[in-house]
Amino acid sequence: MSVARIARIARAIRTARTALFAAFAALTLLLSGAALAAPASATTTGLDGTYACSVPSGYVYDGVLFSRTCSGGGSWNSPQYYLRTPVDGLTACSSAPGFTYDSVGSSTACSLTQGVPSTTFHLRTPYSGLWACSVPSGFTYSATTSNLDCASIRGVPTTKFLLAR
């Protein structure tokens, strides 16, 4: 079999695989109701608990899976993000607009480099009297303390803020 014929067969397989994946994704969105849903926001849960190739506005992620699904037909593994609607008390791989966080941790579940731990954030809905690692928009703070709750570098104390409005 010639190299050109093998290349044509490989292209045909990639094209068929891409079309099959697109059809499966469309069917999944339709059955989940996400295809009819409003744009993602902190109150939208249509994509909550699903994997995606990127993190849409209004969502955070709390896990990363490496596979070829998002690699554009390449032979390399790319990250897929396990999407979550941000809620008070969720530990996520990033913070979210409208939320703050009161502690950080470390986990390989959020890592974009396989096996290397990365920072996690314990999300909180801000309110006056909450000790938080960041001061969200619309708030100020009335006191500070230095501790390890918010330390993204192990053993290095950081500032925590007592939120006030």
Side-chain angles (χ1 to χ4, degrees):
M1 187 178 291
S2 73
V3 173
R5 181 163 168 76
I6 293 172
R8 281 195 304 273
I9 292 170
R11 271 194 305 275
I13 290 170
R14 279 194 303 273
T15 301
R17 184 176 57 211
T18 301
L20 185 59
F21 177 73
F24 178 73
L27 180 61
T28 301
L29 284 174
L30 184 61
L31 293 176
S32 73
L36 305 174
S41 71
T43 59
T44 302
T45 59
L47 296 174
D48 187 65
T50 62
Y51 281 97
C53 297
S54 63
V55 182
S57 176
Y59 289 90
V60 294
Y61 64 101
D62 68 356
V64 178
L65 171 72
F66 286 86
S67 72
R68 292 189 177 125
T69 303
C70 298
S71 68
S75 60
W76 61 90
N77 287 331
S78 297
Q80 283 186 286
Y81 304 93
Y82 191 72
L83 301 178
R84 299 299 308 270
T85 301
V87 294
D88 189 58
L90 175 69
T91 297
C93 303
S94 63
S95 190
F99 287 84
T100 187
Y101 54 99
D102 63 357
S103 66
V104 297
S106 181
S107 171
T108 57
C110 294
S111 180
L112 295 178
T113 305
Q114 289 179 315
V116 176
S118 62
T119 304
T120 60
F121 302 85
H122 185 248
L123 300 181
R124 296 301 310 269
T125 302
Y127 61 88
S128 290
L130 174 69
W131 282 98
C133 299
S134 66
V135 181
S137 179
F139 283 83
T140 188
Y141 57 96
S142 58
T144 62
T145 187
S146 180
N147 61 35
L148 298 175
D149 292 353
C150 305
S152 58
I153 300 173
R154 180 181 246 162
V156 177
T158 58
T159 302
K160 202 162 185 182
F161 306 90
L162 183 59
L163 299 183
R165 228 182 239 255

